[in-house]
Every structure is written in structure tokens, then in C-alpha cells.
Coordinates of all heavy atoms in Angstrom, one line a residue:
M1 N 12.8 9.8 -8.7 CA 11.5 9.2 -8.7 C 11.5 7.7 -8.9 O 10.7 7.0 -8.3 CB 10.6 10.0 -9.7 CG 9.2 9.8 -9.6 SD 8.6 10.7 -8.1 CE 6.9 10.6 -8.4
W2 N 12.4 7.3 -9.8 CA 12.4 5.8 -10.1 C 12.7 5.0 -8.9 O 12.1 3.9 -8.7 CB 13.4 5.6 -11.2 CG 13.4 4.2 -11.7 CD1 14.3 3.2 -11.4 CD2 12.3 3.6 -12.5 NE1 13.9 2.0 -12.0 CE2 12.7 2.2 -12.7 CE3 11.1 4.0 -13.0 CZ2 11.9 1.3 -13.4 CZ3 10.4 3.2 -13.7 CH2 10.7 1.8 -13.9
P3 N 13.7 5.3 -8.0 CA 13.9 4.5 -6.8 C 12.7 4.4 -5.9 O 12.5 3.3 -5.3 CB 15.1 5.2 -6.1 CG 15.7 6.1 -7.1 CD 14.7 6.4 -8.1
I4 N 11.9 5.4 -5.8 CA 10.7 5.3 -5.0 C 9.7 4.4 -5.7 O 9.0 3.6 -5.0 CB 10.0 6.7 -4.9 CG1 11.0 7.8 -4.3 CG2 8.7 6.7 -4.0 CD1 11.5 7.4 -2.9
F5 N 9.6 4.4 -7.0 CA 8.7 3.5 -7.7 C 9.1 2.1 -7.5 O 8.3 1.2 -7.2 CB 8.7 3.8 -9.2 CG 7.9 2.8 -10.0 CD1 6.5 2.8 -10.0 CD2 8.6 1.8 -10.7 CE1 5.8 1.8 -10.7 CE2 7.9 0.9 -11.5 CZ 6.5 0.9 -11.4
E6 N 10.4 1.8 -7.6 CA 11.0 0.5 -7.3 C 10.7 0.0 -5.9 O 10.3 -1.1 -5.6 CB 12.5 0.4 -7.6 CG 12.8 0.5 -9.1 CD 14.3 0.3 -9.3 OE1 15.1 0.9 -8.6 OE2 14.6 -0.4 -10.3
L7 N 10.8 0.9 -4.9 CA 10.6 0.6 -3.5 C 9.1 0.3 -3.3 O 8.8 -0.7 -2.7 CB 11.0 1.8 -2.6 CG 10.7 1.6 -1.1 CD1 11.4 0.4 -0.6 CD2 11.1 2.9 -0.4
F8 N 8.2 1.1 -4.0 CA 6.8 0.8 -3.8 C 6.4 -0.6 -4.4 O 5.7 -1.3 -3.8 CB 6.0 1.9 -4.5 CG 4.5 1.8 -4.3 CD1 3.9 2.0 -3.0 CD2 3.7 1.3 -5.3 CE1 2.6 1.8 -2.8 CE2 2.3 1.2 -5.1 CZ 1.8 1.4 -3.8
T9 N 6.9 -0.9 -5.6 CA 6.6 -2.2 -6.2 C 7.2 -3.3 -5.4 O 6.6 -4.4 -5.3 CB 7.0 -2.2 -7.7 OG1 8.4 -2.0 -7.8 CG2 6.3 -1.3 -8.5
A10 N 8.4 -3.1 -4.8 CA 9.0 -4.1 -3.9 C 8.2 -4.3 -2.7 O 8.3 -5.4 -2.0 CB 10.4 -3.7 -3.6
S11 N 7.4 -3.3 -2.3 CA 6.6 -3.4 -1.1 C 5.3 -4.2 -1.3 O 4.4 -4.2 -0.4 CB 6.3 -2.0 -0.6 OG 7.5 -1.3 -0.3
E12 N 5.1 -4.8 -2.4 CA 3.9 -5.5 -2.8 C 3.4 -6.5 -1.7 O 2.3 -6.6 -1.5 CB 4.1 -6.2 -4.1 CG 3.0 -7.1 -4.5 CD 3.3 -7.9 -5.8 OE1 4.5 -7.8 -6.3 OE2 2.4 -8.6 -6.3
R13 N 4.4 -7.1 -1.1 CA 4.0 -8.2 -0.1 C 4.0 -7.7 1.4 O 3.9 -8.6 2.2 CB 4.9 -9.4 -0.3 CG 4.7 -10.0 -1.7 CD 5.5 -11.3 -1.7 NE 5.4 -11.9 -3.1 CZ 4.5 -12.8 -3.4 NH1 3.7 -13.2 -2.5 NH2 4.5 -13.2 -4.7
V14 N 4.1 -6.4 1.6 CA 4.2 -6.0 3.0 C 2.9 -5.1 3.3 O 3.0 -4.3 4.2 CB 5.5 -5.3 3.3 CG1 6.7 -6.2 3.1 CG2 5.7 -4.0 2.5
W15 N 1.8 -5.4 2.7 CA 0.6 -4.7 3.0 C -0.1 -5.4 4.2 O 0.0 -6.6 4.4 CB -0.4 -4.7 1.8 CG 0.0 -3.7 0.8 CD1 0.9 -3.9 -0.2 CD2 -0.5 -2.4 0.6 NE1 1.0 -2.8 -1.0 CE2 0.2 -1.8 -0.5 CE3 -1.4 -1.6 1.3 CZ2 -0.1 -0.5 -0.9 CZ3 -1.6 -0.3 0.9 CH2 -1.0 0.2 -0.2
R16 N -0.7 -4.6 5.1 CA -1.5 -5.2 6.2 C -2.9 -5.3 5.8 O -3.5 -4.4 5.1 CB -1.4 -4.2 7.4 CG 0.0 -4.2 8.0 CD 0.1 -3.2 9.2 NE -0.1 -1.8 8.7 CZ -1.0 -1.0 9.1 NH1 -1.9 -1.4 10.0 NH2 -1.1 0.2 8.7
Y17 N -3.6 -6.4 6.2 CA -5.0 -6.7 5.8 C -5.8 -6.8 7.1 O -5.3 -7.2 8.1 CB -5.0 -8.0 5.0 CG -4.5 -7.9 3.6 CD1 -3.2 -8.0 3.3 CD2 -5.4 -7.7 2.6 CE1 -2.7 -7.9 2.0 CE2 -4.9 -7.6 1.3 CZ -3.6 -7.7 1.0 OH -3.1 -7.6 -0.3
P18 N -7.1 -6.5 7.0 CA -7.9 -6.6 8.2 C -8.1 -8.1 8.5 O -8.1 -9.0 7.7 CB -9.2 -6.0 7.8 CG -9.2 -5.8 6.4 CD -7.8 -5.9 5.9
A19 N -8.3 -8.4 9.8 CA -8.4 -9.8 10.3 C -9.5 -10.6 9.7 O -9.4 -11.8 9.4 CB -8.5 -9.8 11.8
L20 N -10.6 -9.9 9.4 CA -11.8 -10.6 8.9 C -12.0 -10.5 7.4 O -13.0 -10.7 6.8 CB -13.1 -10.1 9.6 CG -13.1 -10.3 11.1 CD1 -14.3 -9.7 11.7 CD2 -13.0 -11.8 11.5
G21 N -10.9 -10.1 6.7 CA -11.0 -10.0 5.3 C -11.2 -8.6 4.8 O -11.7 -7.8 5.6
G22 N -11.0 -8.4 3.5 CA -11.2 -7.1 3.0 C -10.0 -6.6 2.3 O -9.0 -7.3 2.2
P23 N -10.1 -5.3 1.8 CA -8.9 -4.8 1.0 C -7.8 -4.4 2.0 O -8.0 -4.3 3.2 CB -9.5 -3.5 0.4 CG -10.6 -3.1 1.3 CD -11.2 -4.4 1.8
P24 N -6.6 -4.3 1.5 CA -5.5 -3.9 2.4 C -5.7 -2.6 3.0 O -6.4 -1.7 2.5 CB -4.3 -3.8 1.4 CG -4.7 -4.1 0.1 CD -6.2 -4.4 0.1
I25 N -5.2 -2.4 4.3 CA -5.4 -1.2 5.0 C -4.2 -0.3 5.1 O -4.3 0.9 5.5 CB -6.0 -1.5 6.4 CG1 -5.0 -2.4 7.2 CG2 -7.4 -2.0 6.4 CD1 -5.4 -2.6 8.6
G26 N -3.1 -0.7 4.7 CA -1.9 0.1 4.7 C -0.6 -0.7 4.7 O -0.7 -2.0 4.9
L27 N 0.5 -0.1 4.4 CA 1.8 -0.7 4.4 C 2.3 -1.0 5.8 O 2.0 -0.2 6.7 CB 2.8 0.1 3.6 CG 2.6 0.2 2.1 CD1 3.5 1.3 1.5 CD2 2.9 -1.2 1.5
D28 N 3.1 -2.0 6.0 CA 3.8 -2.3 7.2 C 5.1 -1.5 7.1 O 6.0 -1.9 6.4 CB 4.1 -3.8 7.4 CG 4.8 -4.1 8.7 OD1 5.5 -3.2 9.2 OD2 4.6 -5.2 9.2
W29 N 5.1 -0.3 7.7 CA 6.2 0.6 7.5 C 7.6 0.1 8.0 O 8.6 0.5 7.4 CB 5.9 2.0 8.1 CG 4.9 2.6 7.2 CD1 3.5 2.6 7.4 CD2 5.1 3.3 6.0 NE1 2.9 3.3 6.3 CE2 3.9 3.7 5.4 CE3 6.2 3.6 5.2 CZ2 3.7 4.4 4.2 CZ3 6.1 4.3 4.0 CH2 4.9 4.6 3.5
S30 N 7.6 -0.7 9.0 CA 8.9 -1.3 9.4 C 9.5 -2.1 8.4 O 10.7 -2.1 8.2 CB 8.8 -2.0 10.8 OG 7.9 -3.1 10.6
Q31 N 8.7 -2.9 7.7 CA 9.2 -3.7 6.6 C 9.6 -2.9 5.3 O 10.5 -3.2 4.6 CB 8.2 -4.8 6.2 CG 8.0 -5.8 7.3 CD 7.1 -6.9 6.8 OE1 7.2 -7.4 5.7 NE2 6.2 -7.4 7.7
V32 N 8.8 -1.8 5.1 CA 9.1 -0.9 4.0 C 10.5 -0.2 4.3 O 11.3 -0.1 3.4 CB 8.1 0.2 3.8 CG1 8.5 1.2 2.8 CG2 6.7 -0.4 3.4
R33 N 10.7 0.1 5.5 CA 12.0 0.7 5.9 C 13.2 -0.3 5.6 O 14.2 0.1 5.1 CB 12.0 1.1 7.4 CG 13.4 1.6 7.9 CD 13.8 2.9 7.4 NE 15.1 3.3 7.6 CZ 15.5 4.0 8.7 NH1 14.6 4.5 9.5 NH2 16.8 4.3 8.8
A34 N 13.0 -1.5 6.0 CA 14.0 -2.5 5.7 C 14.2 -2.7 4.2 O 15.4 -2.8 3.7 CB 13.6 -3.9 6.3
L35 N 13.2 -2.6 3.4 CA 13.3 -2.7 1.9 C 14.1 -1.5 1.4 O 14.9 -1.6 0.5 CB 12.0 -2.8 1.3 CG 11.2 -4.1 1.3 CD1 9.8 -4.0 0.8 CD2 12.0 -5.2 0.5
A36 N 13.8 -0.3 2.0 CA 14.4 0.9 1.5 C 15.9 0.8 1.8 O 16.7 1.2 0.9 CB 13.9 2.1 2.3
D37 N 16.3 0.3 3.0 CA 17.7 0.1 3.3 C 18.3 -0.9 2.3 O 19.4 -0.6 1.8 CB 17.9 -0.4 4.7 CG 17.5 0.6 5.8 OD1 17.4 1.8 5.4 OD2 17.3 0.2 6.9
G38 N 17.6 -2.0 2.0 CA 18.2 -3.0 1.1 C 18.3 -2.4 -0.4 O 19.2 -2.8 -1.1
Y39 N 17.4 -1.6 -0.8 CA 17.4 -1.0 -2.1 C 18.3 0.3 -2.2 O 18.5 0.8 -3.3 CB 16.0 -0.7 -2.6 CG 15.3 -1.8 -3.2 CD1 14.7 -2.8 -2.4 CD2 15.1 -1.9 -4.6 CE1 14.1 -3.9 -3.0 CE2 14.5 -3.0 -5.1 CZ 13.9 -4.0 -4.3 OH 13.3 -5.1 -4.9
G40 N 18.8 0.7 -1.0 CA 19.6 1.9 -1.0 C 18.9 3.2 -1.3 O 19.4 4.2 -1.7
V41 N 17.6 3.2 -0.9 CA 16.7 4.4 -1.1 C 16.8 5.2 0.2 O 16.6 4.6 1.3 CB 15.3 4.0 -1.4 CG1 14.4 5.2 -1.4 CG2 15.2 3.2 -2.7
P42 N 17.2 6.4 0.2 CA 17.3 7.2 1.4 C 15.9 7.3 2.2 O 14.9 7.4 1.5 CB 17.7 8.6 1.0 CG 17.4 8.7 -0.5 CD 17.4 7.2 -1.0
W43 N 16.0 7.1 3.5 CA 14.7 7.2 4.3 C 14.6 8.6 4.8 O 14.9 8.9 5.9 CB 14.9 6.2 5.4 CG 13.6 5.9 6.1 CD1 13.3 6.2 7.4 CD2 12.5 5.2 5.6 NE1 12.0 5.8 7.7 CE2 11.5 5.1 6.6 CE3 12.2 4.6 4.4 CZ2 10.2 4.5 6.4 CZ3 10.9 4.0 4.2 CH2 10.0 4.0 5.2
D44 N 14.1 9.4 3.9 CA 13.9 10.9 4.2 C 12.5 11.3 4.0 O 11.6 10.6 3.6 CB 15.0 11.7 3.4 CG 14.8 11.5 1.9 OD1 13.8 11.0 1.5 OD2 15.7 11.9 1.2
R45 N 12.3 12.6 4.2 CA 11.0 13.2 4.1 C 10.4 13.0 2.7 O 9.2 12.7 2.5 CB 11.0 14.7 4.4 CG 9.6 15.4 4.3 CD 9.7 16.8 4.6 NE 9.9 16.8 6.1 CZ 9.5 17.8 6.8 NH1 9.0 18.9 6.3 NH2 9.6 17.8 8.1
E46 N 11.2 13.2 1.6 CA 10.7 13.0 0.3 C 10.2 11.6 0.0 O 9.2 11.3 -0.5 CB 11.8 13.4 -0.8 CG 11.3 13.3 -2.2 CD 12.3 13.6 -3.2 OE1 13.5 13.7 -2.9 OE2 11.9 13.8 -4.4
T47 N 11.0 10.6 0.4 CA 10.7 9.2 0.3 C 9.4 8.9 1.0 O 8.5 8.3 0.4 CB 11.8 8.3 0.8 OG1 13.0 8.5 0.1 CG2 11.4 6.8 0.7
L48 N 9.3 9.3 2.2 CA 8.0 9.1 3.0 C 6.8 9.7 2.4 O 5.8 9.1 2.3 CB 8.2 9.5 4.5 CG 9.2 8.7 5.3 CD1 9.4 9.3 6.6 CD2 8.6 7.3 5.5
T49 N 7.0 11.0 1.9 CA 5.8 11.7 1.3 C 5.4 11.0 0.1 O 4.2 10.8 -0.1 CB 6.2 13.1 1.0 OG1 6.6 13.8 2.2 CG2 5.1 13.9 0.4
L50 N 6.3 10.6 -0.8 CA 5.9 9.9 -2.0 C 5.4 8.5 -1.8 O 4.4 8.1 -2.4 CB 7.1 9.8 -3.0 CG 7.6 11.2 -3.5 CD1 8.9 11.0 -4.3 CD2 6.5 11.8 -4.4
M51 N 5.9 7.8 -0.8 CA 5.4 6.5 -0.5 C 4.0 6.5 0.1 O 3.2 5.7 -0.2 CB 6.4 5.7 0.4 CG 7.7 5.2 -0.2 SD 7.4 3.9 -1.4 CE 6.9 2.6 -0.3
Q52 N 3.8 7.5 0.9 CA 2.5 7.7 1.6 C 1.4 8.0 0.5 O 0.3 7.6 0.6 CB 2.5 8.7 2.7 CG 3.2 8.3 3.9 CD 3.4 9.4 4.9 OE1 3.4 10.6 4.6 NE2 3.6 9.0 6.2
A53 N 1.8 8.9 -0.5 CA 0.9 9.2 -1.6 C 0.6 8.0 -2.4 O -0.6 7.7 -2.7 CB 1.5 10.3 -2.4
A54 N 1.6 7.2 -2.7 CA 1.3 5.9 -3.5 C 0.5 5.0 -2.7 O -0.4 4.3 -3.2 CB 2.7 5.3 -3.9
E55 N 0.8 4.8 -1.4 CA 0.0 4.0 -0.5 C -1.5 4.4 -0.5 O -2.4 3.5 -0.6 CB 0.6 4.0 0.9 CG -0.3 3.2 1.9 CD 0.1 3.5 3.4 OE1 0.4 4.7 3.7 OE2 0.1 2.6 4.2
A56 N -1.7 5.6 -0.3 CA -3.1 6.1 -0.2 C -3.9 5.9 -1.5 O -5.0 5.4 -1.5 CB -3.1 7.6 0.1
E57 N -3.2 6.1 -2.6 CA -3.9 5.9 -3.9 C -4.2 4.4 -4.2 O -5.2 4.0 -4.6 CB -3.1 6.5 -5.1 CG -3.8 6.5 -6.4 CD -5.1 7.2 -6.5 OE1 -5.4 8.0 -5.6 OE2 -5.8 6.9 -7.4
A58 N -3.2 3.6 -3.9 CA -3.4 2.1 -4.1 C -4.5 1.6 -3.2 O -5.3 0.8 -3.6 CB -2.1 1.4 -3.8
A59 N -4.5 2.1 -1.9 CA -5.6 1.6 -1.0 C -6.9 2.1 -1.5 O -7.9 1.4 -1.4 CB -5.3 2.2 0.4
R60 N -7.0 3.3 -2.0 CA -8.3 3.8 -2.5 C -8.8 3.0 -3.7 O -9.9 2.6 -3.7 CB -8.1 5.3 -3.0 CG -9.4 5.9 -3.4 CD -9.2 7.2 -4.2 NE -8.5 7.1 -5.4 CZ -9.1 6.6 -6.6 NH1 -10.3 6.2 -6.6 NH2 -8.4 6.5 -7.7
I61 N -7.9 2.6 -4.6 CA -8.3 1.8 -5.8 C -8.7 0.4 -5.3 O -9.7 -0.1 -5.7 CB -7.1 1.7 -6.8 CG1 -6.9 3.1 -7.4 CG2 -7.3 0.6 -7.8 CD1 -5.6 3.2 -8.2
W62 N -7.9 -0.2 -4.4 CA -8.3 -1.6 -3.9 C -9.6 -1.6 -3.1 O -10.4 -2.5 -3.2 CB -7.1 -2.2 -3.1 CG -6.0 -2.6 -3.9 CD1 -6.0 -3.1 -5.2 CD2 -4.6 -2.7 -3.5 NE1 -4.8 -3.4 -5.6 CE2 -3.9 -3.2 -4.6 CE3 -4.0 -2.3 -2.3 CZ2 -2.5 -3.3 -4.5 CZ3 -2.6 -2.5 -2.3 CH2 -1.9 -3.0 -3.4
T63 N -9.8 -0.5 -2.3 CA -11.1 -0.4 -1.6 C -12.2 -0.3 -2.5 O -13.3 -1.0 -2.3 CB -11.0 0.7 -0.6 OG1 -9.9 0.5 0.3 CG2 -12.3 0.9 0.2
A64 N -12.1 0.5 -3.5 CA -13.2 0.7 -4.5 C -13.5 -0.6 -5.2 O -14.7 -1.0 -5.4 CB -12.9 1.8 -5.5
E65 N -12.5 -1.3 -5.6 CA -12.6 -2.6 -6.3 C -13.3 -3.6 -5.4 O -14.2 -4.4 -5.8 CB -11.3 -3.1 -6.8 CG -11.3 -4.4 -7.6 CD -12.1 -4.3 -8.9 OE1 -12.4 -3.2 -9.4 OE2 -12.4 -5.4 -9.5
W66 N -12.9 -3.7 -4.1 CA -13.4 -4.6 -3.2 C -14.9 -4.3 -2.9 O -15.7 -5.2 -2.9 CB -12.6 -4.6 -1.9 CG -13.1 -5.6 -0.9 CD1 -12.6 -6.9 -0.8 CD2 -14.0 -5.5 0.1 NE1 -13.3 -7.6 0.2 CE2 -14.1 -6.7 0.8 CE3 -14.8 -4.4 0.6 CZ2 -15.0 -6.9 1.8 CZ3 -15.7 -4.6 1.6 CH2 -15.8 -5.9 2.3
K67 N -15.2 -3.0 -2.8 CA -16.6 -2.7 -2.6 C -17.5 -3.0 -3.8 O -18.6 -3.4 -3.7 CB -16.8 -1.2 -2.3 CG -16.3 -0.8 -0.9 CD -16.5 0.7 -0.6 CE -16.1 1.0 0.8 NZ -16.2 2.4 1.1
R68 N -16.9 -2.9 -5.0 CA -17.6 -3.2 -6.2 C -17.9 -4.7 -6.3 O -19.0 -5.1 -6.6 CB -16.8 -2.8 -7.4 CG -17.6 -3.0 -8.8 CD -16.7 -2.7 -10.0 NE -15.6 -3.6 -10.1 CZ -15.7 -4.8 -10.7 NH1 -16.8 -5.3 -11.0 NH2 -14.6 -5.6 -10.8
K69 N -17.0 -5.5 -5.9 CA -17.1 -7.0 -5.9 C -17.9 -7.5 -4.7 O -18.4 -8.6 -4.7 CB -15.8 -7.6 -5.9 CG -15.0 -7.5 -7.2 CD -13.7 -8.2 -7.2 CE -12.9 -8.0 -8.5 NZ -11.6 -8.7 -8.4
N70 N -18.0 -6.7 -3.6 CA -18.7 -7.1 -2.4 C -19.7 -6.1 -2.0 O -19.6 -5.5 -0.9 CB -17.7 -7.4 -1.3 CG -16.7 -8.4 -1.6 OD1 -17.0 -9.6 -1.6 ND2 -15.5 -8.0 -2.0
P71 N -20.8 -6.0 -2.8 CA -21.8 -5.0 -2.4 C -22.5 -5.3 -1.1 O -22.5 -6.5 -0.7 CB -22.8 -5.0 -3.5 CG -22.6 -6.4 -4.2 CD -21.2 -6.7 -3.9
P72 N -23.0 -4.4 -0.3 CA -23.7 -4.7 0.9 C -24.9 -5.6 0.7 O -25.6 -5.5 -0.3 CB -24.1 -3.3 1.5 CG -23.7 -2.3 0.5 CD -23.0 -2.9 -0.7
K73 N -25.1 -6.5 1.6 CA -26.2 -7.4 1.5 C -27.5 -6.7 2.1 O -27.4 -6.0 3.0 CB -25.9 -8.7 2.3 CG -24.8 -9.5 1.7 CD -24.5 -10.7 2.5 CE -23.5 -11.6 1.9 NZ -22.2 -11.0 1.6
R74 N -28.6 -7.0 1.4 CA -29.8 -6.3 1.8 C -30.5 -7.1 2.9 O -30.7 -8.3 2.8 CB -30.8 -6.2 0.6 CG -30.3 -5.3 -0.4 CD -31.3 -5.1 -1.5 NE -30.9 -4.2 -2.5 CZ -31.3 -3.0 -2.7 NH1 -32.2 -2.5 -1.9 NH2 -30.8 -2.2 -3.6
G75 N -30.9 -6.4 4.0 CA -31.8 -6.9 5.0 C -31.2 -8.2 5.7 O -30.3 -8.8 5.2
R76 N -31.9 -8.6 6.7 CA -31.6 -9.9 7.3 C -32.8 -10.6 7.6 O -33.8 -10.4 8.0 CB -30.8 -9.6 8.7 CG -29.4 -9.4 8.4 CD -28.7 -9.5 9.8 NE -27.3 -9.5 9.5 CZ -26.4 -10.2 10.1 NH1 -26.8 -11.1 11.1 NH2 -25.2 -10.2 9.9

């Protein structure tokens, strides 16, 4: 489990963001793969499953925080 945690924290700078701003929308998986190779983490089903779970939870937290800080504007 620890190598996956290290890989996820190393992936901090490879998130994709929407063009017009907002919370991150997901990891850039080609860059995550390169990091996995560099860290010696096997690129297998278990790694992908755990990384996808971590990605989904982090994205959920960031989206909730972004929505809290950027409530919808009323009327025009």
C-alpha cells in the first residue's frame, strides 16, 4: 500500500484542470505511468484500482471545496 501512497503524492503536479478554471478534473495518466516506472511501482490492476480510488476521492474533496468557495451567482 505504501508504494501506491507515494505514487499518489508524487502525482501532485500531474492533475488536469479545466480550461476556464475550477477544481482538477483528473490525473494525467500518461504522466502517472512515467512516475510509476520511476518509482518502481508495478503498473498492474491493483495499482490502477487504488490510484483511481484515490483520484476519485481527492477530486470529490477538491470539487466540494471549490463549490463552497465559489457559490453560484444569483440572477443576471
Side-chain angles (χ1 to χ4, degrees):
M1 197 70 170
W2 188 254
I4 305 299
F5 174 76
E6 287 183 321
L7 177 59
F8 185 73
T9 57
S11 300
E12 173 185 5
R13 297 189 182 263
V14 298
W15 284 85
R16 294 179 291 120
Y17 287 82
L20 299 176
I25 56 175
L27 288 167
D28 181 333
W29 287 97
S30 62
Q31 291 186 43
V32 174
R33 172 71 191 264
L35 284 170
D37 291 345
Y39 276 77
V41 177
W43 195 247
D44 58 15
R45 179 178 287 206
E46 181 181 16
T47 298
L48 289 173
T49 301
L50 293 171
M51 286 293 291
Q52 287 172 337
E55 175 194 39
E57 185 61 17
R60 185 193 65 75
I61 291 167
W62 284 330
T63 298
E65 181 67 13
W66 186 85
K67 286 180 178 179
R68 185 184 68 77
K69 289 180 179 179
N70 300 283
K73 295 179 175 57
R74 294 187 180 252
R76 274 193 172 221

